[in-house]
Amino acid sequence: MSLSPLFIEKSFDDLPGWGDDDHLLAFEAFRRSAFHAPVKPYRSGALGVDFGAFAAAYVAARTAPPVNRPEARTFFERHFVPMLVRPDTGAGLVTGFYEPQVEASPVRTERFAVPLLSRPADLVDVDDANRPQGMDAYLAFARRTADGPVEYFDRGAIERGALQGQGLEIAWLADKVDAFFIHVQGAARLAMTDGRLRRVTYAAKSGQRFTGPGKILSELGEIPLAQVTMQSIRAWFKAHPGRIDEILWQNRSYIFFREADVEDAALGPIAAAKVPLTPGRSVAVDRLLHTFGTPFHIDAPTLTAFDKRPFRRLMIAQDTGSAITGPARGDLFAGSGDAAGEIAGVVRNAADFYALVPRPLVGGAG
């Protein structure tokens, strides 16, 4: 496996803001992947960053971790070579995501009447081996029937009651828009009315394509495209409660959840790389192209939502998403709760991506 020509070798001196970053925070996120790596190797991405080349860095992270910022910076400079990632088209782009926290009830009440559902028993995975002729090749999930797999119920059908009576309800929320944004983020913390703190995370989906409400509202002339943020979408729904279903049901994709522990309240949910996400240091990438665990120095000078300064940080690839496609595309994890949501909801900025590639892949001995 050779490195993609989309990678252009650089020096650490070429990375804007490299010397000003807190590399120890990034290392702590990296080390979580280092401890997962022996359990189950990450799949190597198509751009040629071979998982096996991380071995020396992972061993060092587990056995001799740096204890301060200068040592952390030295760790990354010793084990990696920075590579500018050329976008396939246009410029690189970052967006943001977070883990919502909402109040929820373990039982349905007059106030709490919007369910979060677990995976139904008749939802099955489909691929080219078992997909019936004529079924949309995009669909990775289907409904099992006596006559074979068929397309699963979509959001509108499910919210109208297609799955009622199956006991799938994990918890009940008070607001349909809150539930929808939990679907978008793929995880949430639930502050239960009985005093418990619970977490739900992605388990499966109905399989149809995602259609964002911002795109729909923009095309309808309700919100100018340049002003579409999570906050502006929420404000529109609050002003037009009678049109919520009309808009949301155009997004046919529906998400099912499973319960997960809240082991460390400072960390986010366990994501696609099977480690807890680190606020401000974990990034979702295109997993078909990139290899989980790869450090990325991201330069987004117009992004100031995180700490009022231009965003120039070392992030670790630890998640993915269906909307995250392309070599220079990332979704920055902002954390949990409303404050993180205020940050994540406004992030949509041009960015340069510098992948830190293990030295063995570029001939360096370290």
Side-chain angles (χ1 to χ4, degrees), residues 141-164:
F141 295 92
R143 181 164 60 93
R144 182 177 58 242
T145 73
D147 297 323
V150 299
E151 182 177 335
Y152 208 78
F153 302 117
D154 67 4
R155 174 174 297 276
I158 292 169
E159 294 191 353
R160 288 191 294 267
L163 300 179
Q164 277 186 355

Side-chain angles (χ1 to χ4, degrees), residues 2-13:
S2 59
L3 287 176
S4 167
L6 293 177
F7 288 130
I8 303 172
E9 185 172 346
K10 297 289 182 178
S11 73
F12 283 98
D13 290 337

Side-chain angles (χ1 to χ4, degrees), residues 64-147:
V67 297
N68 55 41
R69 291 172 64 169
E71 286 186 8
R73 174 176 172 174
T74 298
F75 171 88
F76 287 110
E77 292 179 352
R78 177 185 303 124
H79 290 283
F80 297 96
V81 175
M83 298 275 184
L84 176 65
V85 184
R86 288 192 299 187
D88 46 2
T89 58
L93 175 69
V94 288
T95 50
F97 73 112
Y98 76 113
E99 181 186 38
Q101 179 165 318
V102 299
E103 190 178 9
S105 171
V107 296
R108 180 170 184 165
T109 68
E110 183 176 352
R111 178 186 172 201
F112 295 96
V114 181
L116 297 177
L117 301 182
S118 60
R119 178 172 180 156
D122 63 352
L123 182 70
V124 296
D125 295 6
V126 293
D127 54 27
D128 291 342
N130 65 341
R131 182 181 292 108
Q133 185 175 2
M135 177 178 281
D136 185 348
Y138 177 86
L139 296 176
F141 295 92
R143 181 164 60 93
R144 182 177 58 242
T145 73
D147 297 323

